[in-house]
Each structure stands twice: as structure tokens, then as C-alpha cells.
Amino acid sequence: MTPREVAWRVGRAGRDLVAPSLHRLTDQELFGVDDLLAETALQRFRENTGRPVLLCRDRALEIARDHPDQVASVIAAADRAVEGQVRYFGYPAVRLGRPVDWNYDPVADVHWPRVPASRIDHRTAAGDPKWIWELARLQHLPWLAEAWLFTGDERYAAAAFDQLDSWIEQNPPGIGIAWRGAFEVGVRAMSIAVALQGLRDSRLLTPERFRKITWMLSQGAARCRRDRSLYSSANNHLVGELAGLATVAILFPDLGPAPRWETHTIRALAAEANRQILPDGAGAEQAVGYQIFTAELLLTVAVLLDSRGDRPPTEIVDALNRSADFLAAFVGDRDPDPRYGDDDEGFALRLGPEPQRTVRDHLGAVAAFTGNAAATRAGRPTITSAWLRRTAGAGNGEVVSPGDFFAPQGGMVVLRSGERRLTVDVGPLGYLSPAAHGHADALSLTLSVGGNELIGDPGAASYYGHPDWRTVHRGTRAHATVTVDGLDQSVIGGPFLWTRHARTRVHSVDLTRGVVDAEHDGYCRLSEPVTHRRFVIAPSEWQAVAVIDMIAGRGTHEAGTSWPMHPALDVTAVGNEHRVTRNGTPVLQILHGASRDLVREERKGDATTGLGWWSSRLESREPSWLVGARTAGSVPLAMATVLTTLGSRGDRASHLEVAVNAAEVTLAWRIGDTGYRIEIDTTVGSVRYRDS
């Protein structure tokens, strides 16, 4: 951290100790001469005077007519919310008590204290703060509002107001875990504000209730402005805080500070859109889940501005479109979602009941608003896109098909051959100095065929619930790349902090020939420093993908490859190869070679090392094969892996030979009657290959 950031953090900590609760704005500061107890204030809200419309009955009736199955799913989710049934992440479903104790976690049987939020250390608490924060986001309230609009059944409105009343009573501004950080305050404000607008015609929305809710939202908005994330903390948290503040300002323009809040916040969001969505469309955090989350925070604000009749900032719309182009490049007709970096399953605004937002769900929402051609092609219609389409009235763009792709700032490569999709990560560790949500996966790759994952990213696994899971799943050994001396490429400083970043250098990416050449300096920190350089050779006409890993520098070292398998796959080890099957059918052969003797490795569900696990949801995992090989000796060392997809072409690779002569590496193997040869000169970076 810079001295300026250190001073800022010390000052904020001291302020919290002296005045641990929020600085509460007075009614005069918030409302000026207007009396929000007056019926006229609520009437302006009901009539949408000077504000946009997102949830409304006319639109709800159209959606119910056109999407009956999706509407039924939302109503079912609302029914569960009425009964207090919730499920978050990979934790089991639970039923909240009556009345709801909003500071009780029944999964962990933990009561979070009702003390000033700044005095709660969520990092050392007995419960998982992610669970209680998810409850406190109140993202089920929009479901209740939608269900009331779809059906007219007053019990949905009654449940929404009863729960919101009790939440406000139990969680006054600044008190309790729900107020621990402006980010949670901002995300929660979006759900409450949009749900309240959907319920604006309910007879249960009395002037007094409206005043209490508006007062709570305004205090939260002030908190988002005052305590917004800055410096090295200014990742998706800053966007969430700004989006929450903007939503309150846009939907409640009668608040005294609202015009000033909106002006400053929209300008800040436009700047963050350019920072956090890179010029090539990749998310700066190097985490697909957070890219989607950040984009949808921006999308929600843009939709509100647009539906009010204002033009959203060009920077925000452009960021949404280039992000959509980037994400759509990964998903063809049947390709699985890319799974790089952390993913906490966050929603900006939860209008649909789906437990996780997929890339296709997200692209459908973007397409509904911007009409982006790539998003239109790859996106999937959801209840969210139905609401946004009728709000913004966007048209459809030209349908295009994905091909090979390279994002130079984000460092992602996509190479295709028929139904085979290969991705290679040649990007940075993450965003800003903590790189909080990046993984030590430089030069890793994924492989899928026919929409089925073969080699993939094993997922985030955990944040707070299982710290040992988090350490392993962020580490290099769990990813499809190379470890040296058993160490991570980058140095962990904490669960959301890296103190040393491996820096990647791209020598060349040739999409036409299917060649990627890149290296990183993560192991230059060793007493005998080395670099890891990886060549991926995947011509579209080849059945196999060749991966050559060079360890160069000084000294004697051990190097090991890792290839994490999807849980649906089984593995048999034979000699220097791993044979991979799905339901008994061969799908992949992994053939290992090295310039020195190698040892084959395989693990599945290893409780001691934490290796050999796959996580599809936060706080859950299942056993899966992690295979690879290792070799040791004085550098330079060369390891080669030939990944042969089988399917209807069942010939396997054999006779793999690897040779190193100074800066030259030669690789040769056979598949059936065809011989393959690759010659690499690492000095000039030339890659020659042929088959005969």
C-alpha cells in the first residue's frame, strides 16, 4: 500500500472506533422542506414522478402471458420466501424461524451480535459471514414483489413488508453484521429499492412504513458514499457501493442529496466501467463470476437511467458490450461456462429464481438491453431478460458464430477445432495489488469437447467456511499448469490477498496456426531462480493438443504438471499415460513425456493434501481426478503432454519422445500411422510442426 492509502485506512479505522455507528443524516439533510410523512410524498412514489419504472403490473401481465413457465418458477420461489425457506451456496436448505431472527445463522447455529458493525471481526467468527450476508441482502424481496404483480395475491406483499419491517427493527443503521462494510449495504439497497417500487400500489405501503424504509435506504446510501472502497480495495466492491447509491438516488429523487449523489455516482461508475472491464472485454479481476457480477451492477443502473428516459453513459454501455463480446467468445452452441478465478454466486438484482447466474443467463440480460450481437447469439432468455427487454425495448443484433479468440489485456486465448474448445490463460493474476479474486493459475488451460468438460478449473470451493479448501483451490497445484518445487506461482498473503504476483509475458499468439507461447516469472523468487515457459500447439486439423513446458534458469529443481478432470470422468493409469473415460467410453488420452525420467501422479479426493476435488458451488466440493507427472534435475527441464481427444477417432498417441539441446526442444509422437514432430527454438521463439 502507498503511504496515502495507509493514512486513509488508519483514519477510517480511528473514525470507526470513535463513532462506530453510521453518521446518521438528519431529516432536514435528507428531505429538506418536504415532509416524507405526508401523503403527497408517497403519492409521488406511486405515480413514479421523476423516476423510472422497472417492475409494474402491465409489464408483469405481458411477461406472465409470454413466459408462463418462468413466471411459475418465480412464484414458487416467492412461496418459499413466504415460508422462510432459504438455501445459499452449497449449504443445506433451512427454514427461518417465526418471527425471523435476521442475525441468526441456523446452518452454523450462530447468533451474530447486535453491536456496532465495526466491532465485529467476521474473519474470526464461528459462523460463515457469507451466509448471513446473503440473507441480509434480502434478494428474495423482488421475488415477492413480482409474485404480487403476477398474481395480485396480497399475501406476497404482506410477507415482503412484514419481513422488511422486522429487518429494519433488528438492524438499525450501523448495528450488526449486515452493516459490516458499505458493499453489503449497497447490494441490499438495490433489492429493497426495486422491490418497494414493485409494491408501490399495495395498500400495505402506508406513509409511515414508506418513511421508515426510505430513511433506512437513505442512511445506507450515505454510508455507501462515505465509506466506499478506495485504493487497493476498489474492485467489484466499489462498483456495488456505487450501484446501490445510484439506485437509491434514481428511485428516490425526493431525497435532498439525491441529485448530487446521482451526478457524482454515475460519473464514478462510468470511470469504473473503463477500469474494471478491460479494453478487450475481460474483467480486470481475472474471475468470470465477478466479471458477470460487475457487469450486471452496471447494467442495472443503465436500465434505470434508460427507463427514466435518460441516456446511460457511453462508457457503461460500451463496457457492457465489450464484456459480452468477450464472454460470448467462450460459449458456442454447447460449450460449458469458463470457470476462471473466484465466484461467490453474487447477483446484482435477483429477479429470477436460478441459484447461479450462468454466462448464457447473463448474456441474455445484456442482449435484452443493448441488443449486442454476440450476446444475442449466445444468451439464454430468463425472467430477468424479460423484464429488461420490456424496460429498455432493445432490438436484436446480427447472429454470429464464435471462432478463435485472443484478448491481449485479459490474457485469454480460445482455440477451436470442430467441437473441441481449448482455452489458455496468459493473463495477470488479478486486479490491483491484492488481486483478491485471482488464482495462481498462470498458463493454465481448459479443454472441452462436444459441450463436455474434460480438463477444467476446479472452482473456488470456499471463502470462509473451509479455509483449507480455499488455500488449495487458489493454488497452482490444483490448476492445469506447472508447479516448481511444489510451490505456488504467486505468494499468498491471506484469503483475499496475494503478496507477490507472478507476471506473465506473452511471446506470441498465432490463432491461424493454433500456437500459444508465453512464460511467467513466478519462480524467479527462488534462491536459484527459474522461469516457466509454456508452448501450446493445437492446429485445428490435429486430433491432439501438444503442451510443452520449459523450466529454464539456474540450479536443480522439481517440476510437475497438473490436469484436473471433471468429476464425471474416470481415469486409468497405464505406463506414462492416463486414459480418461466417461461412463465407460474413452474420451481423452493424456500422454506424458520429459527430457529426464518422470513419475506419473494421480489423486482423487485426497483429504490429506486437499487435492483431487471439484467445486461447482461455493462451500461444496466432490472428488475428481487430478492427474499429472513430475520430473527433477538440473535445468533446463522440458516436460511434454499430448492431449488426444478420442470420441469416434479412437487412435491413441504413442512413442512420445522429448529432447532438449541448449535452447532447442524437439517433441515427436505417433497416432496410428501418422507421425507428429514439433521443433522449438526458444531463443527466437520459432515453432515448427508437421505431421506425416
Side-chain angles (χ1 to χ4, degrees):
M1 292 186 289
T2 64
R4 187 175 181 182
E5 179 177 358
V6 172
W8 169 73
R9 290 185 181 277
V10 170
R12 188 161 78 168
R15 182 186 63 201
D16 287 342
L17 287 174
V18 173
S21 62
L22 292 177
H23 165 62
R24 297 179 177 177
L25 301 178
T26 65
D27 285 359
Q28 182 67 27
E29 290 175 301
L30 286 174
F31 310 133
V33 297
D34 290 329
D35 180 4
L36 281 210
L37 282 172
E39 182 67 31
T40 55
L42 178 55
Q43 190 64 29
R44 289 196 298 269
F45 182 73
R46 285 180 165 146
E47 294 174 353
N48 294 300
T49 304
R51 66 204 85 202
V53 178
L54 181 56
L55 302 183
C56 71
R57 191 171 302 280
D58 289 345
R59 197 169 296 133
L61 294 176
E62 293 177 8
I63 293 172
R65 180 195 65 210
D66 297 340
H67 306 280
D69 292 342
Q70 294 187 35
V71 167
S73 295
V74 172
I75 293 173
D79 287 336
R80 292 191 293 272
V82 169
E83 296 300 319
Q85 298 178 37
V86 299
R87 181 177 182 181
Y88 304 128
F89 317 121
Y91 289 120
V94 296
R95 185 185 295 270
L96 304 175
R98 294 286 186 89
V100 178
D101 182 345
W102 296 101
N103 290 290
Y104 175 60
D105 173 358
V107 174
D109 190 22
V110 167
H111 289 269
W112 289 84
R114 290 191 65 189
V115 299
S118 59
R119 297 178 184 170
I120 300 174
D121 186 353
H122 62 276
R123 297 177 181 85
T124 60
D128 184 348
K130 282 291 291 178
W131 193 96
I132 201 71
W133 279 331
E134 200 70 15
L135 176 66
R137 289 184 181 185
L138 301 178
Q139 291 191 318
H140 63 281
L141 292 182
W143 295 341
L144 294 169
E146 289 172 273
W148 181 73
L149 292 171
F150 289 140
T151 67
D153 189 336
E154 201 69 23
R155 69 190 179 94
Y156 296 116
F161 286 122
D162 287 347
Q163 292 185 21
L164 191 50
D165 286 346
S166 66
W167 193 92
I168 292 173
E169 181 182 355
Q170 295 177 34
N171 297 274
I175 303 299
I177 186 65
W179 294 88
R180 187 72 172 91
F183 171 66
E184 294 298 328
V185 177
V187 176
R188 176 170 59 251
M190 298 174 73
S191 295
I192 296 173
V194 170
L196 189 65
Q197 191 208 48
L199 295 164
R200 64 190 176 277
D201 293 333
S202 171
R203 62 177 178 79
L204 300 176
L205 182 56
T206 63
E208 179 60 23
R209 180 171 267 153
F210 180 67
R211 176 184 175 81
K212 287 181 179 179
I213 297 171
T214 306
W215 186 83
M216 184 271 294
L217 286 172
S218 63
Q219 299 297 337
R223 170 74 183 272
C224 288
R225 177 161 175 76
R226 188 197 71 168
D227 289 343
R228 65 192 181 278
S229 300
L230 298 175
Y231 302 105
S232 63
S233 298
N235 56 7
N236 69 87
H237 281 212
L238 176 58
V239 180
E241 293 149 6
L242 294 172
L245 174 57
T247 299
V248 172
I250 292 168
L251 288 178
F252 299 90
D254 294 330
L255 294 173
R260 183 176 72 255
W261 283 347
E262 181 181 334
T263 299
H264 294 164
T265 303
I266 299 303
R267 186 184 304 129
L269 279 171
E272 288 307 310
N274 280 335
R275 293 187 185 103
Q276 300 203 33
I277 304 297
L278 300 176
D280 59 18
E285 293 200 74
Q286 296 291 304
V288 173
Y290 281 97
Q291 177 170 350
I292 291 173
F293 180 63
T294 298
E296 292 200 357
L297 289 165
L298 298 171
L299 175 63
T300 302
V301 175
V303 165
L304 292 174
L305 291 172
D306 183 87
S307 60
R308 192 178 63 183
D310 295 323
R311 178 173 295 181
T314 300
E315 296 90 338
I316 292 178
V317 178
D318 287 350
L320 291 172
N321 280 322
R322 67 177 181 268
S323 172
D325 288 339
F326 173 86
L327 292 171
F330 286 88
V331 287
D333 291 341
R334 295 196 293 165
D335 292 324
D337 276 9
R339 284 164 43 92
Y340 285 101
D342 278 349
D343 184 358
D344 72 347
E345 307 172 22
F347 286 79
L349 180 63
R350 200 164 190 175
L351 298 177
E354 58 273 11
Q356 294 173 275
R357 182 81 87 210
T358 69
V359 168
R360 295 182 193 278
D361 294 342
H362 167 71
L363 291 174
V366 174
F369 179 67
T370 72
N372 178 276
T376 299
R377 187 268 308 164
R380 177 167 47 223
T382 63
I383 202 76
T384 300
S385 61
W387 281 109
L388 300 190
R389 178 168 288 108
R390 283 162 173 77
T391 299
N396 291 326
E398 179 185 357
V399 176
V400 294
S401 299
D404 295 341
F405 175 77
F406 175 42
Q409 289 85 35
M412 287 292 176
V413 182
V414 179
L415 298 173
R416 296 182 180 277
S417 174
E419 291 195 317
R420 183 184 77 195
R421 185 195 69 183
L422 178 75
T423 73
V424 187
D425 180 0
V426 295
L429 175 65
Y431 185 48
L432 303 175
S433 58
H437 296 298
H439 289 184
D441 57 358
L443 312 187
S444 65
L445 62 81
T446 72
L447 177 65
S448 63
V449 176
N452 296 309
E453 285 185 285
L454 301 178
I455 298 168
D457 186 291
S462 179
Y463 276 11
Y464 298 100
H466 301 85
D468 53 332
W469 293 7
R470 177 149 184 79
T471 299
V472 174
H473 277 250
R474 298 169 76 205
T476 303
R477 185 71 174 90
H479 295 88
T481 184
V482 169
T483 54
V484 173
D485 297 340
L487 301 174
D488 290 331
Q489 303 159 343
S490 297
V491 179
I492 293 177
F496 298 95
L497 172 67
W498 296 91
T499 55
R500 189 189 187 284
H501 298 198
R503 294 172 298 178
T504 304
R505 176 188 177 192
V506 177
H507 292 283
S508 66
V509 173
D510 188 334
L511 298 180
T512 302
R513 299 179 68 222
V515 175
V516 179
D517 172 10
E519 67 177 37
H520 71 82
D521 68 353
Y523 297 114
C524 288
R525 71 183 193 270
L526 302 180
S527 59
E528 294 180 306
V530 293
T531 59
H532 169 212
R533 185 171 182 179
R534 170 165 276 188
F535 297 86
V536 179
I537 297 94
S540 60
E541 66 272 15
W542 280 11
Q543 177 186 350
V545 174
V547 183
I548 299 95
D549 293 298
M550 286 288 299
I551 308 299
R554 291 190 291 137
T556 298
H557 298 275
E558 180 184 77
T561 57
S562 294
W563 306 105
M565 302 283 106
H566 188 273
L569 303 175
D570 201 4
V571 172
T572 301
V574 180
N576 284 348
E577 65 178 288
H578 289 99
R579 298 178 180 178
V580 183
T581 59
R582 181 186 293 107
N583 298 325
T585 300
V587 292
L588 179 68
Q589 179 209 22
I590 305 175
L591 184 61
H592 308 278
S595 57
R596 299 181 182 273
D597 292 339
L598 63 79
V599 177
R600 189 196 69 239
E601 292 187 311
E602 52 275 334
R603 289 187 174 90
K604 184 176 184 180
D606 190 328
T608 301
T609 63
L611 297 170
W613 297 89
W614 186 278
S615 175
S616 296
R617 299 203 63 181
L618 201 66
E619 306 305 339
S620 70
R621 62 178 187 172
E622 58 184 310
S624 63
W625 284 103
L626 177 69
V627 304
R630 57 184 169 86
T631 189
S634 57
V635 298
L637 291 172
M639 302 187 73
T641 310
V642 177
L643 307 169
T644 307
T645 55
L646 300 176
S648 60
R649 294 153 53 175
D651 289 339
R652 292 185 171 88
S654 62
H655 300 90
L656 178 59
E657 298 178 355
V658 183
V660 177
N661 182 11
E664 295 183 354
V665 183
T666 303
L667 177 67
W669 74 96
R670 299 192 66 82
I671 298 180
D673 296 331
T674 304
Y676 296 82
R677 184 175 178 85
I678 298 173
E679 298 171 348
I680 300 173
D681 185 335
T682 60
T683 302
V684 298
S686 67
V687 178
R688 298 181 298 275
Y689 60 79
R690 65 178 185 270
D691 57 79
S692 58

